[in-house]
Amino acid sequence: MIAELALQEMEPGSLARLFAAGHAAVLVHCPEIIAALWRGLLEDTAEQMPWEAPLVDIARNYHGSGDITASLGDLFYFQPGRHGYIARKMALRRTEGEDHVIARPGWFAQGPQRYTPDPALLDQCWSIGARLMAALTPAGTPPADFEVVVQRLKYQESGGDMDRLEALARNSLGRWGRTGCAWDERRWQAAGMLSPRGLSDLYGMLAHAPGLGRMAQGINRMLQRRDRSRDLAPGQRLIEGAHFDHRYFSALCGQRTHMVTQIFVKEQWVDLPIDRTMLAVFPGTMAMHSYGLRHVMHRVLHVEREANDGSANPRTDNVTLLIGSA
């Protein structure tokens, strides 16, 4: 189900073989590399992270798109049951003849100043991303043209703070925008035969209709009981709804006390170990289309827990570092 691999054992095609053999994820042990990336990407206080920044700096650094997966820069996404994070996202590309990789965006506003990431650090990100991409590519397959993506995702420690951030995002919209948010919340709850696009849109509207709404919600509750991908244990709160990443792979590490990432395997949710000693790697939709590797459904949950000690660090706690390719 979940395989393990030391970094020195990772060679071209090795991840592809493990995924083709039926493993849903691979844990690549590389503590030294993660420690170096973590220091450079999260512990360098010369860089202001978006969850420490004034809202106007987030807006200045936002390079948005109608497609959430294509947005870069600083992002603020709070949609109940669908998204719940503040993030900084970059895309890296190496061009032949260039000494260093090219990053998009190339700098970030910090008040009246700019922060430019260290080129050597970006080269490190590219190096591990390209090595993972080579391991994902099946033997004999021509190498794909790709970018390495680097994402730092911050989740909130408390459910109450998430409620407040969701309310803040929702109330910044006009009346019809708030209505659309309410429809979206219902649409994302659509299960079974109601879950495909189109039918879920219809359910989202009907669920709020007088009379018909109660009946539609009753049918959906019945479908939810039969849909194991909707299961939640007591004390769990859905933050990132079940989805597939639209990239070749995602490799996760992080420092998380209240967040749990799960993968859906054999009709059940399985916790994916995520820490700062290994990269948890699983294929995305682009790997399925290009290489025939099964993409992996996953989700992110919040679990209320007592703090272990007094060493809380708001800058790095409940942060996920994602390296991927697209």
Side-chain angles (χ1 to χ4, degrees):
M1 186 181 296
I2 299 178
E4 298 191 38
L5 190 68
L7 182 66
Q8 57 268 29
E9 299 171 332
M10 193 172 69
E11 59 185 17
S14 57
L15 288 177
R17 290 192 294 271
L18 289 169
F19 292 133
H23 295 288
V26 178
L27 307 179
V28 179
H29 293 266
C30 50
E32 294 83 5
I33 286 178
I34 292 173
L37 293 180
W38 195 266
R39 283 194 302 270
L41 291 168
L42 287 154
E43 293 179 348
D44 181 4
T45 55
E47 180 179 13
Q48 173 186 260
M49 302 312 300
W51 47 92
E52 302 174 306
L55 188 59
V56 68
D57 276 359
I58 296 177
R60 288 166 177 159
N61 294 324
Y62 172 61
H63 300 266
S65 166
D67 178 3
I68 183 175
T69 62
S71 295
L72 293 172
D74 290 351
L75 310 169
F76 175 96
Y77 282 125
F78 286 89
Q79 299 169 322
R82 196 66 175 178
H83 304 290
Y85 59 75
I86 302 170
R88 174 159 288 179
K89 300 183 180 183
M90 296 183 293
L92 311 179
R93 179 173 289 276
R94 182 177 288 283
T95 303
E96 188 175 349
E98 294 286 343
D99 292 335
H100 296 287
V101 299
I102 304 299
R104 295 186 295 122
W107 53 268
F108 296 93
Q110 296 187 172
Q113 300 176 330
R114 291 182 177 184
Y115 173 81
T116 302
D118 179 7
L121 176 64
L122 299 182
D123 286 343
Q124 286 181 291
C125 294
W126 173 269
S127 178
I128 185 62
R131 188 169 178 181
L132 289 164
M133 186 63 184
L136 183 80
T137 304
T141 303
D145 182 44
F146 66 93
E147 291 183 321
V148 169
V149 297
V150 180
Q151 302 184 358
R152 287 161 281 181
L153 312 173
K154 168 70 174 181
Y155 298 94
Q156 301 305 305
E157 283 73 19
S158 78
D161 282 346
M162 280 184 286
D163 288 337
R164 295 179 185 96
L165 286 164
E166 288 170 1
L168 178 66
R170 185 186 305 111
N171 290 335
S172 68
L173 303 172
R175 181 166 63 93
W176 282 107
R178 292 194 296 272
T179 300
C181 281
W183 287 356
D184 273 339
E185 287 183 44
R186 290 295 187 186
R187 180 171 64 87
W188 293 326
Q189 295 168 6
M193 65 180 184
L194 295 178
S195 60
R197 183 175 297 180
L199 287 175
S200 61
D201 295 333
L202 180 61
Y203 169 73
M205 290 185 286
L206 288 178
H208 289 275
L212 288 175
R214 182 170 298 181
M215 182 175 65
Q217 291 177 48
I219 293 171
N220 193 57
R221 281 193 296 270
M222 180 179 65
L223 294 172
Q224 285 176 331
R225 288 193 289 269
R226 299 175 182 176
D227 186 349
R228 298 300 304 275
S229 71
R230 303 282 173 166
D231 289 352
L232 279 174
Q236 294 179 340
R237 171 174 174 163
L238 188 64
I239 303 301
E240 298 281 332
H243 66 286
F244 302 99
D245 283 348
H246 185 70
R247 58 177 68 99
Y248 287 107
F249 71 85
S250 298
L252 311 179
C253 63
Q255 179 170 302
R256 311 187 323 169
T257 54
H258 294 86
M259 310 308 299
V260 177
T261 295
Q262 295 182 325
I263 55 176
F264 195 60
V265 183
K266 296 180 179 179
E267 293 298 307
Q268 63 179 337
W269 287 107
V270 177
D271 290 357
L272 188 63
I274 294 178
D275 60 24
R276 288 169 54 185
T277 67
M278 57 192 178
L279 291 168
V281 187
F282 51 87
T285 303
M286 292 176 73
M288 183 179 69
H289 291 160
S290 298
Y291 306 141
L293 303 175
R294 183 185 294 272
H295 59 178
V296 175
M297 181 184 290
H298 57 287
R299 67 182 184 180
V300 179
L301 307 175
H302 178 270
V303 181
E304 291 286 0
R305 294 192 179 109
E306 292 293 330
N308 294 330
D309 50 41
S311 60
N313 183 342
R315 180 182 173 95
T316 58
D317 286 351
N318 289 299
V319 169
T320 299
L321 171 61
L322 182 153
I323 306 292
S325 71

